[in-house]
Amino acid sequence: MRKRCVLFILCFIVYAAGAQQRYSISHFTNRDGLPANSIKGMEWDARTSLLWIGTEGGIVRWDGSNFEISGSKASRVLQMGSTEGNHSPFYAVCDNDSVYLIEQGRVRTWYRHRDELAFRQLHLPDSAEIFAPIRKGPGTIIWPAWLLPVSASLDTVLIFFNRNVYLREGRQVRKLLGAVGGAQLLRMRGHALVYTEKGLLHYDPQRRELRPTGIAGFRTPEDHFIRNDGERPPMLLRNGTLYRLAAGAGDRWRLDPVCTRLPAGIQPQFVRELPHQGIIVLADAINGIYMLRQQFIRQLTDTTGTIPSSQLVTYGQALLPDGRILSHSGVVYDRSGPMPGKNLPVGSSPNLVRFRQHLYFAPLGNLFRFHLGTGTSEQFATPFENGDWSTMVEMRKELYFIAHSLVARLSGNELREVYRFPESPGVPLLPNNTAIEWSAGTLLIGSGNYVRFLDVDRKTLRSVKVSETAPVRNLWRTGQGVFICTYGDGLFLLRNDSCYRLPWDKSGHLRFAHAIVPDGQGACYISTNNGIFKVSEKALYASALTGAPVYYHYLGKEDGLEQTELNGGGQPAYLQLPDKTLSFPSINGLVQFHPDSLRIGPPPGVILVSATVDGRPIDSFPARLGSDAKLFQFDVTVPFWGARENLYAWYRLRRKGEPDGASRWIPFDPARQRAFTFTALKADRYAFEVRTFKGFTSGDFSVRSFPFDVAPPWYATLPFLVLWVLLGFALSWLLFYVRTRQLRARSAQLETTVAQRTREIELQKQQLGQQLKLVSEAHDLKERLIAVISHNIITPLRYIHRATTMMRDDARSLDPALREKAVDSINDTSLELELLSVNLLNWIRLQHQQVQAVPEAFTFSEIAAHVQGLLGAVARSKGQAIVLQGDGSISLYQLKDALQVILYNLVLNAITHSGGTTCTLECRKEGTQVLVSVADDGRGMPEGMKRKLAGDPAAQGTLKETDNQGKGFGFIIIRDLVRFIGGSLHLEPANPGTRITIVFGNQPSPSGKHPS
């Protein structure tokens, strides 16, 4: 609630005859969240544990903690009621001419009926048409206050109309009662009642008439009934006492008192009972809401002021033989409270332990005992000095006294030491606060922040640490272990020499726990510095081992505990009376209750959630939200009609598919926190989950899950993802294809470039080889040229010079024959020089790359005659003849000069070196080939000369220069010119002599034909 101001006007204890109960009263007004204090209607929705209140400020929803104006329904409520069956949904009629429907914790506009007859029928009945109930929708009926169905078929209806009471059966209407000032139509557990100023009338379905009902003490017309919910009995308020109508024998009825001394001036118009919660809610016409909560706990304290407050502070207590209770301060209590003037002499020790016929107590280190029979006390002499007997415990039907330093056993009328705690220098002894029997002969002692196992027979002691600092206050052994209460650190479970911490309650009151008490029905009660808690024993055990949350039900002021501070540290920590009533000490007397009388129902476990996304409501779950959803808001309501300390809730936002333990439950207080906001959630499936206890059992939760999906953006949906994948695949394939083509083109280009470069390199290699060959040949020719010039030219010229000089100087004395011979020698030498010069010129022309040879047409006889003309004289001087053999008229189309040089050199070589008599020239054709041969009949060409003429490099150095060989320029010219005209050179023996044949092809004539 926005700010709940609970005013306990009266907390009291009244014992009266009958079934009257005690109630605490809380008053709620507009200061606590109500929009207005004037109440026009009230309905209890058992399905959602919500109370709906109609006020002049609108429709109000009350969840036990907060008042909330439902939506924008701020119009003044005129009337509220239930639909068919007296259960939800409910309706509310407002002054804006609208009827609202209330169901599932929400309010919605049912229908607007401006200018409709139905709206007027709800308020101003003025015709017979009002005898029909008002229907709106299938199976839904509105029953105004002046209509009361009296049959299960709803065909029989009591109607108050125009100061008369009618009975409508089917379509028949008859008057039952007339001339009444006003009437209330009431229903109670199958009975139809009509209350007028004439009294209470009961409808008899057998006689179909109204019969008077007698009520003892009923006054008419001062008394006024308060209409209850559904079939519950109506109530009546008189002089501050609330009564409940109850059926008696025959026509006699009675009024049972419910609550006395209600505030003065209260004018309740509506009453609603919440029996499972022990609550009665009264709606006042002008003063708001009063809530009566039944009290189950009794605070036994002094109300007279005659007993000092210091004596009311209670620690130890003992049950007296007469059923009364004696406190450690000597005050005697009966079931009504402390009895002034009845104190007993028991001193002021916090421990008051009964053993057989005595009560033992030890004030200020002295041991006393009180005899229950005689009512007298006596000091019990002990042989121990400074024995502060802080703890007493019964084991094996013997009483043991435990001090800081020793343990003694009561034997007859004396104490005997059975064990002395070991002492260490400088280390103080632990205080022993409580003890229980662990087993036969073994005590379990709470010593400081330890528990110690003492075997009194074997004199052995072992310790187990419980808390770091908090002392042990109380021990309770169960079949599962020992539950330990500490003062400052809460509860622990001792099991197998290990201590397991238990969780605290939501307010932390269990931090200071005094005692834990079983009720024998699977539950236990824990007293603390601030109230009492009820909890399941199994839930405590499960929580200790697993850490699961525990439902601790808090009992405080609203349950009758006027003073919530209870006491601990004394013996016994609590007292269980013979009728199972539990009695706890407090700082203001005793606190008592019977476990069976406590109306402690489990939490209803109802969870209501309204959700919005970006301000738009989510009507149903699971919900699928768009990708543009940004702001998610959940409003959580957990109805609860008890103390806020008993309202536990957790929430979490979990992704779908996430393990249950992956998302941590976050606790929150529904009475203070209701709104939860989440922003910027990624596209996924979520579930907003809320849980609360619905019982005492461990893990007994009511869990509501609100699943919703946040859709991914359009570009992240499955079709678009597939499209993106396909597009990516297509782009990848296109990129791969383009890149592959580029690579292929590049590869082809590289291959072409490489091939081209390879060809160029090969060509360059060939050219380089040719150039190297040419360079080599040029080098050789250069050497030969130098040799020719130095020998074949210079020597003949020197010879000619000397011969001519001799002839000039010795001309007169020179013999004419010798002179003629010298002249002939000079002539021959000059001719050789001429021929050598011609060969040199031809070689130089051949080596010149700029020479452009042009083929021409000629006959073989032409070139043969030219050669004969040049070499005829030479041949004759050698005694040889040049003979043309065969057909000399053969036409050729070739390089004429080249053929002439070839033929010239061949004939010259034959004349010069063969030594024969005849040099034969011949030309013939074989197909397209032309064969030109030169043969001599001499001694033949040496083998080395043949290889040299064929161009064998190895033969270049095998021949030595002789008179018959020369330098070989003629052969070189022949070989190069043969290659130049595209022919080939063949050497063969002629027997005798040598035949050299040149084979070449006729080049095409300018007309395109070969010459014939």
Side-chain angles (χ1 to χ4, degrees), residues 774 777 781 838-853 895 897-898 901-902 905 969-981:
L774 292 174
E777 291 178 353
L781 290 176
V838 171
N839 279 335
L840 287 173
L841 290 174
N842 290 334
W843 178 77
I844 292 172
R845 279 179 54 190
L846 180 63
Q847 297 300 318
H848 202 288
Q849 296 183 358
Q850 301 300 325
V851 176
Q852 297 294 330
L895 303 176
D897 292 339
V901 174
I902 292 172
N905 279 280
F969 277 101
F971 289 141
I972 293 175
I973 293 172
I974 293 170
R975 187 186 61 199
D976 292 343
L977 287 178
V978 169
R979 188 166 56 247
F980 188 64
I981 66 175

Side-chain angles (χ1 to χ4, degrees), residues 489-501:
D489 209 3
L491 304 174
F492 292 84
L493 172 67
L494 176 65
R495 178 178 171 86
N496 299 328
D497 286 352
S498 297
C499 283
Y500 301 89
R501 182 186 298 273

Side-chain angles (χ1 to χ4, degrees), residues 130-192:
I130 59 106
F131 295 161
I134 301 170
R135 295 177 180 268
K136 184 64 179 179
T140 304
I141 301 177
I142 290 179
W143 296 100
W146 38 266
L147 292 176
L148 179 66
V150 296
S151 66
S153 63
L154 306 179
D155 291 334
T156 304
V157 182
L158 288 176
I159 303 171
F160 173 67
F161 168 64
N162 199 18
R163 300 183 63 188
N164 298 315
V165 179
Y166 297 89
L167 176 66
R168 178 182 182 274
E169 297 177 296
R171 295 186 176 273
Q172 298 181 357
V173 179
R174 64 187 180 92
K175 183 189 299 185
L176 296 181
L177 186 65
V180 295
Q184 281 184 289
L185 304 182
L186 306 172
R187 187 172 183 84
M188 186 191 81
R189 297 173 181 170
H191 299 281

Side-chain angles (χ1 to χ4, degrees), residues 909 913 940-952 955-956 958-972 975 985 987 994 996:
N909 286 330
H913 303 292
M941 185 178 293
E943 188 64 32
M945 185 62 71
K946 291 180 182 179
R947 294 201 305 270
K948 183 178 181 182
L949 184 60
D952 186 359
Q956 301 292 331
T958 60
L959 295 176
K960 297 181 180 179
E961 186 179 350
T962 63
D963 292 340
N964 288 335
Q965 295 175 357
K967 294 297 180 181
F969 277 101
F971 289 141
I972 293 175
R975 187 186 61 199
L985 181 67
L987 284 79
T994 301
I996 299 176

Side-chain angles (χ1 to χ4, degrees), residues 497-816:
D497 286 352
S498 297
C499 283
Y500 301 89
R501 182 186 298 273
L502 287 162
W504 300 349
D505 62 298
K506 62 182 294 185
S507 301
H509 298 329
L510 283 172
R511 180 182 175 186
F512 299 96
H514 298 317
I516 181 167
V517 185
D519 67 352
Q521 300 177 7
C524 52
Y525 295 88
I526 306 171
S527 62
T528 71
N529 264 7
N530 197 337
I532 301 174
F533 289 89
K534 178 182 179 181
V535 65
S536 166
E537 177 185 344
K538 292 182 178 180
L540 282 178
Y541 176 71
S543 177
L545 299 183
T546 65
V550 180
Y551 177 55
Y552 296 104
H553 188 92
Y554 177 75
L555 300 173
K557 289 186 176 182
E558 294 181 344
D559 302 288
L561 195 61
E562 295 181 14
Q563 177 52 257
T564 60
E565 184 174 354
L566 279 72
N567 281 332
Q571 277 190 283
Y574 69 93
L575 197 64
Q576 188 172 36
L577 305 184
D579 64 349
K580 306 298 182 181
T581 295
L582 298 178
S583 179
F584 293 91
S586 76
I587 66 171
N588 191 19
L590 300 180
V591 172
Q592 294 183 351
F593 62 88
H594 195 289
D596 294 340
S597 67
L598 291 179
R599 188 171 294 180
I600 302 177
V606 177
I607 301 172
L608 304 174
V609 173
S610 61
T612 62
V613 54
D614 295 330
R616 303 184 304 272
I618 302 177
D619 296 326
S620 62
F621 289 93
R624 183 166 180 82
L625 309 176
S627 60
D628 58 342
K630 301 298 181 185
L631 182 63
F632 304 85
Q633 293 177 308
F634 297 89
D635 187 83
V636 179
T637 300
V638 183
F640 189 72
W641 296 89
R644 287 183 176 181
E645 289 83 355
N646 297 327
L647 183 54
Y648 295 80
W650 296 261
Y651 79 94
R652 68 178 178 181
L653 184 66
R654 183 170 61 91
R655 289 192 176 187
K656 193 170 183 180
E658 195 174 46
D660 187 67
S663 298
R664 184 176 63 89
W665 286 102
I666 303 173
F668 72 99
D669 187 354
R672 295 180 174 87
Q673 181 184 4
R674 291 180 49 181
F676 301 91
T677 302
F678 304 93
T679 59
L681 295 181
K682 295 181 180 179
D684 205 340
R685 294 183 175 182
Y686 297 90
F688 177 72
E689 297 179 339
V690 183
R691 75 176 184 182
T692 184
F693 285 116
K694 65 175 182 180
F696 287 92
T697 306
S698 177
D700 192 7
F701 295 102
S702 174
V703 182
R704 289 203 64 188
S705 180
F706 303 89
F708 62 95
D709 297 350
V710 179
W714 63 269
Y715 52 82
T717 57
L718 181 60
F720 280 96
L721 287 177
V722 174
L723 182 61
W724 282 118
V725 171
L726 294 177
L727 182 60
F729 177 77
L731 290 176
S732 300
W733 179 85
L734 180 61
L735 180 62
F736 175 77
Y737 175 76
V738 172
R739 186 59 179 164
T740 302
R741 290 203 59 179
Q742 290 177 347
L743 292 176
R744 288 179 179 175
R746 181 63 176 167
S747 178
Q749 183 180 3
L750 289 175
E751 290 178 359
T752 304
T753 303
V754 170
Q756 182 179 356
R757 296 299 182 190
T758 303
R759 288 193 300 270
E760 291 178 356
I761 292 173
E762 290 294 334
L763 180 59
Q764 291 176 359
K765 182 179 179 181
Q766 294 176 3
Q767 292 176 353
L768 182 60
Q770 293 175 358
Q771 292 294 329
L772 290 175
K773 185 177 181 181
L774 292 174
V775 169
S776 178
E777 291 178 353
H779 178 72
D780 293 341
L781 290 176
K782 181 184 73 172
E783 295 294 331
R784 290 175 183 176
L785 181 58
I786 293 172
V788 168
I789 293 173
S790 62
H791 185 271
N792 289 35
I793 295 179
I794 295 176
T795 299
L797 287 176
R798 185 180 294 118
Y799 169 74
I800 293 173
H801 174 67
R802 290 179 180 177
T804 55
T805 301
M806 181 187 70
M807 289 178 63
R808 186 191 64 187
D809 293 341
D810 298 332
R812 293 178 181 178
S813 61
L814 186 62
D815 184 41

Side-chain angles (χ1 to χ4, degrees), residues 300-368:
L300 303 185
T301 186
D302 178 42
T303 59
T304 63
T306 58
I307 299 177
S309 59
S310 60
Q311 294 184 6
L312 294 176
V313 177
T314 306
Y315 286 94
Q317 52 180 331
L319 182 65
L320 298 176
D322 58 1
R324 297 176 181 177
I325 297 175
L326 174 65
S327 74
H328 82 287
S329 60
V331 178
V332 178
Y333 293 79
D334 61 10
R335 288 302 180 95
S336 300
M339 304 173 64
K342 298 293 184 177
N343 289 18
L344 296 179
V346 293
S348 184
S349 168
N351 299 329
L352 192 60
V353 178
R354 179 174 177 175
F355 182 69
R356 297 174 182 170
Q357 294 299 315
H358 291 89
L359 295 178
Y360 291 86
F361 54 98
L364 303 176
N366 298 311
L367 184 60
F368 291 82

Side-chain angles (χ1 to χ4, degrees), residues 26-53:
S26 302
H27 186 200
F28 303 92
T29 64
N30 53 6
R31 296 181 179 180
D32 305 300
L34 282 173
N37 293 336
S38 180
I39 309 301
K40 300 297 182 181
M42 184 169 61
E43 297 293 341
W44 166 251
D45 189 350
R47 297 176 182 175
T48 60
S49 296
L50 294 173
L51 189 67
W52 294 94
I53 305 170

